[in-house]
Amino acid sequence: MTAGFVFTHIFAFRADPQATALLMAALLLYCVRSLKLADVLLIGVLIGVAGMITVKSAFYAPVFLGAFIWRWNSSDAVSKLAVVTAGIALTSIVVFSLLFFWHSSGLSGSGLESGGRELRSAGGVVFTEGLLPRWDHLLRQMMLAPMFTLMCIAAPFMWRQRLADRATLAMFTGFMLPLATLLFYRNSYPYFFVFLLAPVAIAIFPAVEWMAKRFSLKIVALIFALQAAQMTLAERTEIMTTQRNTELLVRHIFDAPVTYVDFCGSIGDYPRVYPFLTSGWGLQKYRAKGQPLLVQAMAKQTVPLVIANHRVIYAALTGEQSDEQLLPADAAAIRDNYVHHIGPIWVAGKRIVTGNGGRTLSIRVPGLYRIEDGGVTLNDVAYLPGNIVQLERGEYRITDPVAADVTLRWHVRRAAKGPTAQPPYFTNY
C-alpha cells in the first residue's frame, strides 16, 4: 500500500485498481480453494471481467502460471488440476466474449469498426517505443519507495536460502515476472504500478520476513508508515481546488453547454471537439493522419471555449514551443481565434493591434462579440467600446486604421472572481 505510486494512485478512478482487485482475488481463490465447480466459475468470471476492464490483464499470465506450477507440485491429482485450470481459462474466455459482444451491441457498425482501428493503433504504439520507455517514472517510483525497491532486489537472492522447494520458487518467479513489462510497455505511467506491484508484494515476502526478524516488525512498519506520511505531505492538494474552481468558472461564464476544446473532457456534460487529447498515442495518430480536426470542426460547429489544461493547448494558444504540438493549421486556428479570459479559460475573440486599417478579419466562431479597449470599424460600420455586435462566420474588412489595440471578445459573463494567470491544472502524477 505504501509502495510509492501505489499509495498515491490506488484509489484513482482508472481501470488499474479495479483489474488488480479482480485478478488478485482470483489468484487468492486459485491458490487456497479446493477448486470445486463454484470456485472454477467464480475465478473464471473474475478473470474474464478483469480482461474486459483492461486488456493488460494479460500481463498476469506468468502470475497464474507460477500459481499453477505451485499447485501442480503439491497436488495428488494433477490431471484433475489440469482439467480444472483449463475450465477456469475457458470460463474466463466465455465471460470476456459475452461481455465484449454485449458491449459491442450498443455500438453502430461504424463505431465498432472505428473502435477496432483505435485498438490496433494503440497496440502498435504502446509496444513500439524502445527499451524502458518510461524510465523516468520508474526512477521516481524507486526513489519514492526505497525500502520496497531494496526488497525487490534482495528477494530473489533470499528465495534460494529460505524457500524449501522449486515449485514455490517457480511461483514467486511468476509473481515477479510482470516487472519485465517495464522494459517495453509504453504506458508504464505511475498508475500502472498499482496493477504491477500487487503480485510482486507477495513475491518479496521472504525479504520482508527477514527484515522483520532482523530489525523487528515495528521498525519495518514504521519505515513504511513514514514513506506514506512523506508522500501525503508532498501531495499538491491545491490542484484539486484549481480544477473545481475552473469548472465553476466555466459554468458561471457559460450558463448553457457549449462546444469546447480541452485535454481531458473536464466539463463532462459539455460537448468536446478533440476526443484524442487524453493520450500520447492519440496525438501521434492525429499528427500522422495530418487532418486539421479543429479547423474542420470550426467550419461546422460553434466552438467558443478553450480550456488550456495541457501544454499542447497552451502552446497552440500562445505560440510557445512544446515537445508535443497540434498540426500547424489547428494551432493557428486556436491562436488566432481565442483570447484569454481568466485562469485557464480562453474564449472566442480577436486582438486587433493599432494601425490595422485595411486588413481583413477572419471570424471562425460566429456569435455575439463585445468590443473592448477601443473602437473599430468593420465593413464601414463603426463600433465603440462596450458595443455588442453579431458576427457571422466569414471575412470582415477593418475599414479605418485602429487608434488603439482592440479586443473582440465572445459576449459572456465576466467572472466575479478567479485567477488572472494560468495556474497549474495537473500535477506530474
Side-chain angles (χ1 to χ4, degrees), residues 327-346:
L327 292 174
D330 278 348
I334 286 184
R335 187 164 53 254
D336 296 341
N337 289 278
Y338 296 90
V339 295
H340 184 242
H341 196 64
I342 191 168
I345 298 171
W346 297 59

Side-chain angles (χ1 to χ4, degrees), residues 351-356 371-377 385 398 400-408:
R351 289 285 295 166
I352 306 173
V353 299
T354 304
N356 261 342
I371 311 299
E372 298 180 355
D373 305 324
V376 65
T377 303
I398 303 173
D400 298 328
V402 179
D405 292 353
V406 177
T407 300
L408 274 63

Side-chain angles (χ1 to χ4, degrees), residues 106-118:
L107 302 175
S108 64
S110 59
L112 188 58
E113 182 181 353
S114 174
R117 288 196 304 267
E118 293 290 331

Side-chain angles (χ1 to χ4, degrees), residues 189-269:
Y189 289 107
Y191 54 79
F192 178 60
F193 288 90
V194 176
F195 177 86
L196 180 68
L197 296 183
V200 174
I202 300 174
I204 66 171
F205 173 75
V208 177
E209 184 183 38
W210 180 86
M211 287 285 293
K213 290 180 178 179
R214 179 69 175 80
F215 300 103
S216 90
L217 182 60
K218 291 181 179 179
I219 292 178
V220 174
L222 178 62
I223 292 172
F224 285 123
L226 289 174
Q227 287 180 185
Q230 185 273 328
M231 287 182 284
T232 301
L233 294 173
E235 193 73 10
R236 297 186 60 184
T237 55
E238 77 277 7
I239 298 295
M240 295 178 65
T241 302
T242 297
Q243 295 172 359
R244 294 190 185 105
N245 288 344
T246 298
E247 181 175 357
L248 291 173
L249 282 170
V250 168
R251 296 186 186 280
H252 173 77
I253 295 166
F254 295 92
D255 53 2
V258 296
T259 304
Y260 73 106
V261 174
D262 92 322
F263 169 62
C264 57
S266 56
I267 315 297
D269 56 337

